[in-house]
Amino acid sequence: MVDKTAVHRSVFFVSDGTAITAETLGHSLLAQFPTVDFEIHIIPYVDSEERAMDVVQEINKCAIRDGAPPLVFDTLVDPLVRDVINTANAINLDVFEGLISKIETELNVKASPQVGNAHSSVDSENYKSRIDAVHYALDNDDGAKTRHYDMADLILIGVSRSGKTPTSIYLALQFGIRVANYPITEEDLDDNRLPKVLKEHKKKLFGLMIEPERLVAIRSERKANSRYASFQQCQMELRAIQGIYISEGIPYLNVSEMSIEEISTRILQTTGLKRRIS
Amino acid sequence: MVDKTAVHRSVFFVSDGTAITAETLGHSLLAQFPTVDFEIHIIPYVDSEERAMDVVQEINKCAIRDGAPPLVFDTLVDPLVRDVINTANAINLDVFEGLISKIETELNVKASPQVGNAHSSVDSENYKSRIDAVHYALDNDDGAKTRHYDMADLILIGVSRSGKTPTSIYLALQFGIRVANYPITEEDLDDNRLPKVLKEHKKKLFGLMIEPERLVAIRSERKANSRYASFQQCQMELRAIQGIYISEGIPYLNVSEMSIEEISTRILQTTGLKRRIS
C-alpha cells in the first residue's frame, strides 16, 4: 500500500547566501526517502525581511496546493529573517539550530553570525589557487601541451572518454589541485608502453579505468556505430591500458559506477595528495 | 582575555561517501566561530566497522594531544559504523540525527538508508548533462568558436580576466548548463558596440563587471608591469564595457567581492535560467 499523503511533497532550501549548504545537506537527507516525489525549490539570497515575506507566500501557496506543509531547510543566520520564515505553514528543518548551540557550549565561544559568508573566500589565497588551477587544467587538457608537467600535482591518464577532463576540472575547482590529463591513444597502446613524456613524470600519473560496456555507451553518444565506439575496440583499448597500469605500477581506479565527486575524492584518498585550498 | 580552551580545536568530517555533505555543512558552521583555530580532518569512505575503529584511534590521538575532545561531524548511515564512531572521545555532531526522524514523522515514511549515495548519479541523465556541459564549456571557451552558440544556454561576456572561464565551468559542472564565453577585446571596445556574432544571440548574453583595482591585481599576476595590467588600461576597458552593457540592455553583475559559487548562483537568479540537473 502506498501512503497517499507521502507521494508528493514540496521542499524549500532557503539561505541568505548561495543556498549550497542547505541544498547539499537537503539532497543527502532526501535521498533516503526514494519513494517520495519531492518538488525542490532553491531560494538563495534571502537577506531581508521583505524577501523572507515573499518566500513565506510561496511556501504557503505550495502548502495549499499540496494539501500538506512543505519541508523547509534553512541556513539563515539573521534571527529576524528566520523568524519571518518560521511563520510559514511548513515543517521547519533548521539546519544550524541545535548544532550551533552544541558547538557554542563545547567551545565556550559565542557564534558570530555572518550572513552568506560560507563560500566567500574571494580575497584569500584560496581564490587565486582555484582560478590558477582551473586555468592550468584547461591549458593542459587532453595532452595539448606537455611542457608544463613539472608544475602538475597530478597527471590523469586513460583512454578517450574515460572521464579525465571533468575529473581534472573538478579537482581544480574544488580543491585547487593542478591536474594535467593525457589521452592514451591506440598508437601508444600498440607500443604497449608509456609515452616518453609520461615516463619522466611517472610518480604523478594516475590511471582511469572503465567497464567496456559503459565506454561503448559514452563513445556512442559521440560517434554512434563507429569503430571508435564498438565493443571490440573499447575492450581492446581497456585491456591494453590496464596492462600498462599494472606493468608500470601506476595506481588506477575503475570509475564506471562513480560520480565526478566520487572519482575525485577517491583519487585524493589513494594518492594522499593534499588540497591547496581549505 | 582569550579563552585558552577555545584557541585550537580538531574537527573531523566523517562520512561513508565522499564527505562532501559533512564538509559543506561543517564549514558553514565553523565559519561562525572566526576566533577559533580549527584543524580540519576529512575522512571519506568510512564504510566498515574496521575503518571506523581506525578513525576512532585518530580522533582519540587528537583528543589527547589537544587536551580537549575533537568535534566530529558525521553523515554515517549504517548504525553499526556510527556506533563505533560514537565510542570516540569526541563531541559528536550527528548531522542527520534529529533531521531524519523529523522527516520520517512528518512524511510517515521510514528512511531507507543508502550508504554513500548522495552524490552517485552516474547512471542518470544528470551525469550525461554535466559531462556534456563541461565539454561544451571547454569547446566554447574564450571565444574560440562561435558557431555553436545556437546550443548555448548562456554566453558570458566581459574583459580579459574578469572571471568568465571559471564561472562557465562551474555552471557546467554544478548545474549542467551550457555556457560559452567570449572576451570583449580592445578592438570591440573601440567600436563601442557588440561584435556581430554576439548581436545575433543577444538574449543569451550576460556581462561580468569587476572593480578596476581588482582587475589590476589579477592581470598583474599574469603580466606584471604591463600596459595590460595598468590601472589606466583596466579602468578604460571597464568603463567602455559597462557603457555597452547599459546601452545594449545586457544584464550584468559586479563580481569583485564574489566567489565562483556566488557569481554562478546570482547569474541563475538574475536570468531565471533553470538547472539541467537535479
Side-chain angles (χ1 to χ4, degrees):
Chain A
M1 280 284 290
V2 175
D3 177 354
K4 287 280 181 194
T5 62
V7 170
H8 176 92
R9 190 63 73 110
S10 298
V11 179
F12 285 76
F13 299 126
V14 182
S15 166
D16 43 40
T18 60
I20 291 171
T21 301
E23 199 188 338
T24 306
L25 179 69
H27 273 300
S28 294
L29 289 168
L30 299 182
Q32 302 191 31
F33 297 91
T35 59
V36 184
D37 166 35
F38 293 110
E39 177 188 312
I40 308 281
H41 301 253
I42 302 161
I43 322 274
Y45 303 115
V46 181
D47 47 13
S48 68
E49 291 168 69
E50 292 68 41
R51 186 108 172 77
M53 282 187 262
D54 294 343
V55 177
V56 168
Q57 281 205 342
E58 223 178 309
I59 295 171
N60 288 346
K61 258 189 223 161
C62 285
I64 291 169
R65 189 201 56 191
D66 299 348
L71 305 179
V72 175
F73 292 87
D74 86 72
T75 54
L76 296 166
V77 161
D78 183 335
L80 295 174
V81 176
R82 207 196 295 172
D83 284 349
V84 175
I85 293 295
N86 285 342
T87 65
N89 178 11
I91 308 301
N92 207 298
L93 301 156
D94 186 329
V95 171
F96 285 169
E97 198 192 312
L99 290 175
I100 289 271
S101 59
K102 222 166 160 181
I103 298 172
E104 283 181 328
T105 308
E106 171 56 25
L107 297 179
N108 195 19
V109 175
K110 274 301 265 178
S112 334
Q114 280 159 305
V115 169
N117 77 338
H119 295 274
S120 349
S121 50
V122 77
D123 282 324
S124 68
E125 274 302 297
N126 280 347
Y127 185 80
K128 194 173 133 15
S129 298
R130 293 177 77 180
I131 303 297
D132 287 352
V134 167
H135 284 289
Y136 185 88
L138 295 190
D139 287 346
N140 297 280
D141 182 43
D142 208 28
K145 288 180 207 163
T146 58
R147 64 180 183 278
H148 302 305
Y149 282 6
D150 283 337
M151 286 167 61
D153 296 319
L154 183 76
I155 303 168
L156 287 182
I157 60 178
V159 302
S160 168
R161 288 279 151 154
S162 49
K164 298 180 298 299
T165 296
T167 306
S168 305
I169 287 173
Y170 187 85
L171 285 164
L173 255 181
Q174 215 59 25
F175 304 129
I177 295 175
R178 290 202 194 95
V179 188
N181 76 78
Y182 188 99
I184 304 291
T185 62
E186 229 180 315
E187 294 81 72
D188 298 325
L189 294 171
D190 286 344
D191 288 352
N192 202 17
R193 57 181 188 181
L194 281 179
K196 185 161 165 291
V197 61
L198 296 182
K199 280 244 177 214
E200 291 164 18
H201 300 280
K202 205 167 135 184
K203 284 190 179 149
K204 295 182 179 181
L205 301 184
F206 193 96
L208 300 188
M209 263 308 279
I210 187 168
E211 297 300 327
E213 292 77 9
R214 182 137 177 87
L215 188 59
V216 169
I218 296 170
R219 288 188 174 180
S220 295
E221 291 281 348
R222 200 176 177 190
K223 287 186 200 164
N225 305 316
S226 62
R227 177 169 159 276
Y228 170 77
S230 69
F231 184 83
Q232 202 183 7
Q233 177 68 18
C234 289
Q235 191 182 42
M236 183 280 288
E237 289 185 30
L238 290 166
R239 278 184 186 161
I241 203 164
Q242 192 168 25
I244 293 179
Y245 294 158
I246 292 170
S247 64
E248 299 279 353
I250 296 166
Y252 68 98
L253 187 65
N254 186 329
V255 303
S256 303
E257 300 292 325
M258 293 186 180
S259 66
I260 300 164
E261 285 84 352
E262 286 174 319
I263 301 169
S264 304
T265 315
R266 289 275 185 194
I267 290 174
L268 287 197
Q269 200 189 25
T270 308
T271 60
L273 259 183
K274 294 283 174 241
R275 307 160 182 235
R276 284 180 184 269
I277 60 179
S278 54
Chain B
M1 279 285 289
V2 176
D3 177 353
K4 287 280 182 191
T5 63
V7 170
H8 176 91
R9 191 63 73 110
S10 298
V11 179
F12 285 77
F13 299 126
V14 182
S15 166
D16 43 40
T18 60
I20 291 171
T21 301
E23 199 188 338
T24 306
L25 178 70
H27 273 300
S28 295
L29 289 168
L30 300 181
Q32 302 191 31
F33 298 90
T35 59
V36 183
D37 166 35
F38 293 109
E39 178 188 312
I40 308 281
H41 301 253
I42 302 162
I43 323 272
Y45 303 115
V46 181
D47 46 14
S48 68
E49 291 169 69
E50 291 68 43
R51 187 109 171 77
M53 283 188 259
D54 294 343
V55 178
V56 168
Q57 282 206 341
E58 224 178 309
I59 295 171
N60 289 346
K61 259 189 222 162
C62 285
I64 292 170
R65 189 201 56 189
D66 298 350
L71 304 179
V72 175
F73 292 88
D74 86 73
T75 54
L76 296 166
V77 161
D78 184 334
L80 295 175
V81 176
R82 208 195 294 172
D83 285 348
V84 175
I85 294 294
N86 285 342
T87 64
N89 177 11
I91 308 301
N92 206 297
L93 301 156
D94 185 330
V95 170
F96 286 169
E97 199 192 313
L99 289 175
I100 290 272
S101 59
K102 222 167 160 181
I103 299 172
E104 282 181 330
T105 308
E106 172 55 25
L107 297 180
N108 195 21
V109 175
K110 273 302 264 182
S112 336
Q114 279 160 305
V115 170
N117 78 338
H119 295 274
S120 349
S121 50
V122 77
D123 281 323
S124 68
E125 275 303 298
N126 280 347
Y127 184 81
K128 192 171 134 21
S129 298
R130 293 178 78 181
I131 303 298
D132 286 351
V134 167
H135 284 289
Y136 185 87
L138 296 191
D139 287 346
N140 296 280
D141 182 44
D142 209 29
K145 288 181 208 162
T146 59
R147 65 180 184 277
H148 302 306
Y149 282 6
D150 283 337
M151 286 169 61
D153 295 320
L154 183 77
I155 303 168
L156 288 182
I157 61 177
V159 302
S160 169
R161 287 277 151 156
S162 49
K164 298 180 299 299
T165 295
T167 305
S168 305
I169 286 174
Y170 187 86
L171 285 165
L173 255 181
Q174 216 59 26
F175 304 130
I177 295 176
R178 290 203 193 94
V179 188
N181 75 78
Y182 188 99
I184 304 291
T185 63
E186 231 181 313
E187 294 81 72
D188 299 324
L189 294 170
D190 285 345
D191 288 353
N192 202 18
R193 56 180 188 182
L194 281 179
K196 185 163 164 291
V197 61
L198 295 182
K199 279 243 179 215
E200 291 164 18
H201 300 279
K202 205 166 135 183
K203 285 191 180 148
K204 295 182 178 180
L205 301 184
F206 192 97
L208 300 188
M209 264 305 280
I210 187 167
E211 297 301 327
E213 292 77 8
R214 182 138 177 86
L215 187 60
V216 169
I218 296 170
R219 288 188 175 181
S220 295
E221 291 281 350
R222 200 175 176 190
K223 287 187 198 164
N225 305 315
S226 61
R227 177 168 160 276
Y228 169 78
S230 70
F231 184 83
Q232 203 184 5
Q233 177 69 18
C234 289
Q235 192 182 42
M236 184 280 288
E237 289 184 29
L238 289 167
R239 278 184 185 159
I241 203 164
Q242 192 167 25
I244 293 179
Y245 294 158
I246 292 169
S247 65
E248 299 278 354
I250 296 166
Y252 69 98
L253 186 66
N254 186 329
V255 303
S256 303
E257 299 293 325
M258 292 187 181
S259 66
I260 300 164
E261 285 84 353
E262 286 173 319
I263 300 169
S264 304
T265 316
R266 289 274 186 198
I267 290 174
L268 288 197
Q269 200 189 25
T270 308
T271 59
L273 258 183
K274 294 286 172 237
R275 305 159 182 235
R276 284 180 184 269
I277 60 179
S278 53

